[in-house]
Amino acid sequence: MISGVLRIGVDIGGTFTDLVLTDREGSTHAFKTPTTPDDPAQGVLDALEKAAGALGVDTRVLLSQCSHFVHGTTIATNTVLEGKGAKVGLLTTHGFRDTLEIRRGWRANMWDHRSPWPEVMVPRYLRFSVYERMDKYGSPVTALHTEAVAEAVGVFKCESVESIAICFLNSFLNDAHERQCEEWIRAAWPEAWVCRSSQIAPIVGEYERTSTTVVNAYVAPRVVPYLRELDQRLKSLGLKNSLLLIQSNGGAVSVEQVGLRPISLLLSGPAAGVGALRFFAEVCGSRDLISMEIGGTSCDVTMVRGGRVAETDRLSVEGYDVVMPAAEIHTIGMGGGTIAGVDVGGMLRVGPKGAGARPGPACYGLGGTRPTITDAQVVLGRLRSGRYADGLIDLDIDLATRAIRDHVARPLGIDVVEAAAGIIRMADQSILHALERMSSERGCDPGTFTLVAGGGAGALHATSVARALGCDSVFVPRLAGVFCAFGMCNTDIRHDYLHFFRRSLGAASAQELGSAFDALENSAEEALRQAGFNLSDSSFERLVDIKYNGQQWPVTIPITEVWHDIAAVRERFKGELARLYGYVVPDGEIVINALRLVATGRLPHVEANKVDSSRAVATPLECRAVYIEDAREVREVAVFDGADLFPGYRIPGPALIDEATTTILLNPGDVAEVDAYGNYLITLGEVGEKHVV
């Protein structure tokens, strides 16, 4: 039984739907069910039913005691990836009809001139230019011609357009024409979805603003009805409060509030890891963490530096550019279900394609025949044959061996174990590069960070990758396999505000800055008040986008403590610029580009409860033949049951630890110690130190 539910977090992954429940006594319960790609909501309800059954209560009783139900969803991302969004019409200022197609003319790889751009979300015949104009100061120059709007709407109706994006020039300075246009459309066509750029992305940059607004219009008719329906289904089953959704920034927002900007859910699932990282940063006593969360489909890398999660406001999903505050997460297609094979040149390849939830890896016995990373781990003895995750999957070593033999070993002329080891070696290399991109490429020494291994597969790769990265230690949460779902139980409500504020830093007075921030805070306070938060439950962080005059991209720095001290703001900017780019311009003119405000409504967080120790000696479950990478050979390795390990236990490598949601691999020289909270801190040995995987 449970003692009053505090919060439920549900994360829909590519293979499993994870549910974590925390009760008022501080106990945490984790459950997994298969993901249902055709009906994600059913996966949520299945997870709830399983949790209720395990806890001995009815689903209605469980939900009636739930104070906060937090959900991470991939529906917005999948809508873009699968090209299944709404038919969108675009209204722009006359002369800017092709902004969306021209883009900015630059590529991520400047030498690649042949790869085509993704198909434009709004074809040219559905892009209409309207006579209207605001000048560079936001003053009206040409009035809005509603006749042109009426003509465009007539075409949109005939072409079965579902959603309309409005993006007028300089509307981030004065949105009067956009608001007038929206009001006219809503009066003439109430059924249409309408998204205006001044509400979605009030930023400088015509292309970025247009692209962001169009993507929002593209996903809204698919995402919002699903979320509203799920919210109603949960309420009909007893949930009292509105469903909360994880945004790309790692904070939560209600269904009602996300309806305006569903684009904020593009990183909904992996961004929930932010809440988990903040919790484990306190538990393991480190303010510098870099995490690798590896599930069945992907590896998500996130960095915490000085207690702050790295953030960005520029995302690219399948080549579509979006500007929206988000946790900076680097994702690669490298999960347990990632497929390996031999290309036409006779070279081993691993990823990025995956086997999905069904048929999944060959060893699942669900019809898959292509070898995956999970199949390689089974062949190498790191995963045992048999049932996992409460019987949800049954790993078959014969099926795994056959898949690797037929598709990798024979084409390369090597034995099956060597082929499996090669698959893992290549996977580790890809994961290492992803970690380096988030650390050393951003001016941080990864050797000073603790690597956090999350996801069901993270702890199988962590020690090898950490050693190659130069880290001294690895932290593995006992709930690693439900990392993001747990993070949902440790997050807060968050709203982001942006205000264009173009001033030279020397010309901006503290009073002027303070007045502008006060106006943003007033809006934020009202939004949080409507959500049921008092000022005592709220906090506000002030930041500025700042750069040298002529510099293309600004740097965002917090100024909450020093906003009244312009000299301190200047020095903080120079320090961040030096870290990122390795230089400063001592006498360069510094300009403020925009003001940002992060408003937080604090929710109750998970308490870190210490675990009582009741045994002095840990006894292995068995000894199993496991391939050891450093020795390039198979050895007999002790296997421990994580349920038998208590605080203070020290497990030397080589060894395996089977946890409820993950498996931990210790290489020779590694030592895992169970901390006071039941998690694992692994000190890396010297064997093979910093070798290239």
Side-chain angles (χ1 to χ4, degrees):
M1 290 292 292
I2 53 174
S3 179
V5 176
L6 175 62
R7 194 181 307 188
I8 294 173
V10 178
D11 176 41
I12 300 179
T15 305
F16 295 112
T17 294
D18 300 336
L19 183 148
V20 169
L21 178 150
T22 61
D23 64 27
R24 300 195 184 280
E25 298 298 323
S27 300
T28 301
H29 310 269
F31 306 93
K32 282 180 174 286
T33 57
T35 290
T36 53
D38 295 336
D39 185 7
Q42 188 58 49
V44 174
L45 299 177
D46 289 345
L48 274 172
E49 185 176 348
K50 181 175 183 179
L55 296 171
V57 297
D58 183 75
T59 302
R60 291 181 177 275
V61 174
L62 183 69
L63 284 174
S64 68
Q65 296 185 52
C66 177
S67 61
H68 298 95
F69 192 110
V70 190
H71 179 34
T73 174
T74 58
I75 186 170
T77 309
N78 291 342
T79 297
V80 177
L81 295 177
E82 297 169 5
K84 296 181 178 179
K87 194 172 187 178
V88 180
L90 174 63
L91 292 173
T92 69
T93 301
H94 182 72
F96 291 84
R97 182 183 183 186
D98 296 317
T99 294
L100 196 63
E101 197 152 14
I102 295 171
R103 303 172 70 95
R104 277 197 174 273
W106 52 263
R107 295 175 179 270
N109 180 357
M110 69 177 71
W111 308 110
D112 181 6
H113 301 289
R114 296 185 177 182
S115 296
W117 297 111
E119 184 178 349
V120 180
M121 279 186 173
V122 187
R124 200 168 194 271
Y125 75 94
L126 292 179
R127 303 197 298 262
F128 282 79
S129 60
V130 176
Y131 282 102
E132 71 81 35
R133 195 64 175 251
M134 295 286 178
D135 67 14
K136 63 181 180 180
Y137 303 106
S139 300
V141 174
T142 303
L144 175 67
H145 286 209
T146 55
E147 295 84 358
V149 176
E151 179 184 351
V153 169
V155 174
F156 292 160
K157 286 183 177 180
C158 291
E159 295 292 339
S160 300
V161 164
E162 302 169 73
S163 189
I164 300 173
I166 306 170
C167 188
F168 293 156
L169 190 67
N170 294 329
S171 61
F172 63 92
L173 293 170
N174 184 343
D175 67 348
H177 287 172
E178 283 198 353
R179 285 187 286 105
Q180 182 184 352
C181 183
E182 179 187 20
E183 290 168 3
W184 193 95
I185 294 172
R186 291 194 184 281
W189 193 8
E191 300 83 11
W193 291 83
V194 182
C195 305
R196 54 183 172 89
S197 70
S198 55
Q199 200 170 38
I200 306 302
I203 58 172
V204 181
E206 193 69 14
Y207 164 67
E208 287 83 1
R209 187 152 41 90
T210 305
S211 179
T212 302
T213 308
V214 165
V215 175
N216 190 81
Y218 185 75
V219 303
R222 302 291 182 265
V223 174
V224 178
Y226 157 75
L227 295 176
R228 289 174 177 168
E229 180 185 357
L230 177 60
D231 186 45
Q232 289 303 314
R233 290 174 73 175
L234 292 173
K235 287 180 177 176
S236 69
L237 290 172
L239 183 66
K240 297 177 182 178
N241 298 320
S242 178
L243 174 69
L244 298 177
L245 288 310
I246 292 292
Q247 303 173 92
S248 300
N249 58 28
V253 67
S254 69
V255 169
E256 294 84 355
Q257 291 169 322
V258 85
L260 176 65
R261 293 199 292 181
I263 196 175
S264 66
L265 302 179
L266 280 176
L267 293 182
S268 177
V274 170
L277 280 174
R278 287 174 177 154
F279 176 86
F280 292 123
E282 296 182 8
V283 169
C284 71
S286 174
R287 291 171 57 83
D288 295 320
L289 305 174
I290 184 166
S291 71
M292 43 179 270
E293 198 266 333
I294 306 177
T297 306
S298 63
C299 169
D300 300 317
V301 179
T302 310
M303 185 171 69
V304 177
R305 177 174 172 267
R308 292 183 64 89
V309 176
E311 295 191 1
T312 183
D313 63 355
R314 296 180 181 275
L315 306 175
S316 180
V317 180
E318 202 68 6
Y320 297 104
D321 296 312
V322 171
V323 178
M324 188 69 58
E328 191 168 13
I329 301 172
H330 180 46
T331 300
I332 60 172
M334 201 57 59
T338 298
I339 295 173
V342 178
D343 64 18
V344 293
M347 301 293 289
L348 175 64
R349 294 181 63 89
V350 181
K353 293 184 178 180
R358 285 186 178 270
C363 61
Y364 281 14
L366 300 176
T369 59
R370 306 292 297 184
T372 66
I373 293 175
T374 297
D375 293 306
Q377 301 285 21
V378 172
V379 167
L380 297 179
R382 298 169 180 181
L383 293 175
R384 59 173 171 78
S385 283
R387 294 185 175 276
Y388 280 82
D390 295 331
L392 290 178
I393 57 175
D394 191 352
L395 304 186
D396 188 323
I397 190 171
D398 293 331
L399 294 176
T401 301
R402 183 187 309 162
I404 294 177
R405 182 190 63 218
D406 293 347
H407 295 282
V408 178
R410 281 179 179 169
L412 293 177
I414 58 179
D415 65 43
V416 172
V417 171
E418 188 178 358
I423 292 171
I424 299 302
R425 205 172 297 134
M426 288 198 69
D428 285 352
Q429 189 71 53
S430 296
I431 296 166
L432 173 64
H433 290 164
L435 291 163
E436 288 174 334
R437 179 170 176 176
M438 287 294 290
S439 55
S440 55
E441 290 185 19
R442 282 160 172 74
C444 297
D445 177 9
T448 63
F449 284 69
T450 297
L451 179 64
V452 179
L460 283 169
H461 300 267
T463 55
S464 296
V465 172
R467 186 175 287 110
L469 191 64
C471 299
D472 294 325
S473 60
V474 173
F475 182 81
V476 183
R478 195 171 283 254
L479 293 173
V482 289
F483 191 77
C484 289
F486 175 76
M488 293 172 193
C489 296
N490 203 60
T491 192
D492 295 310
I493 298 293
R494 171 169 165 170
H495 296 284
D496 287 271
Y497 296 85
L498 177 69
H499 174 64
F500 178 76
F501 187 89
R502 178 79 176 183
R503 299 282 193 284
S504 170
L505 184 61
S509 67
Q511 182 178 0
E512 187 179 21
L513 281 169
S515 297
F517 273 121
D518 288 343
L520 292 178
E521 282 195 14
N522 289 337
S523 298
E525 287 176 9
E526 179 59 28
L528 290 175
R529 192 176 296 113
Q530 291 178 1
F533 291 92
N534 300 316
L535 281 179
S536 59
D537 303 320
S538 307
S539 63
F540 305 94
E541 183 180 25
R542 299 177 173 188
L543 307 99
V544 293
D545 286 356
I546 189 170
K547 64 179 184 177
Y548 285 121
N549 193 18
Q551 182 180 338
Q552 178 134 21
W553 306 115
V555 174
T556 301
I557 60 171
I559 62 167
T560 300
E561 309 87 6
V562 299
W563 66 268
H564 59 284
D565 187 345
I566 300 300
V569 174
R570 180 182 291 105
E571 292 307 309
R572 181 170 287 185
F573 163 70
K574 289 182 177 179
E576 184 66 7
L577 198 75
R579 184 186 70 82
L580 289 172
Y581 303 112
Y583 78 95
V584 295
V585 182
D587 300 323
E589 181 188 4
I590 300 174
V591 295
I592 297 175
N593 216 47
L595 308 182
R596 296 176 182 268
L597 182 77
V598 177
T600 302
R602 290 187 293 274
L603 295 173
H605 286 186
V606 179
E607 296 289 337
N609 292 331
K610 293 186 177 181
V611 178
D612 293 331
S613 178
S614 60
R615 292 187 186 178
V617 179
T619 304
L621 284 174
E622 61 174 338
C623 285
R624 190 160 71 230
V626 176
Y627 181 84
I628 303 299
E629 175 63 27
D630 284 323
R632 297 291 201 272
E633 66 180 17
V634 175
R635 293 182 181 176
E636 288 294 313
V637 167
V639 181
F640 295 85
D641 185 348
D644 295 334
L645 302 181
F646 295 89
Y649 281 12
R650 292 170 60 87
I651 308 297
L656 286 168
I657 301 173
D658 282 341
E659 268 293 341
T661 63
T662 191
T663 297
I664 303 169
L665 171 66
L666 301 178
N667 286 307
D670 298 339
V671 177
E673 182 172 358
V674 184
D675 70 11
Y677 305 97
N679 304 301
Y680 300 91
L681 182 63
I682 303 171
T683 303
L684 300 180
E686 299 293 329
V687 178
E689 186 180 17
K690 298 186 181 180
H691 71 282
V692 177
V693 295

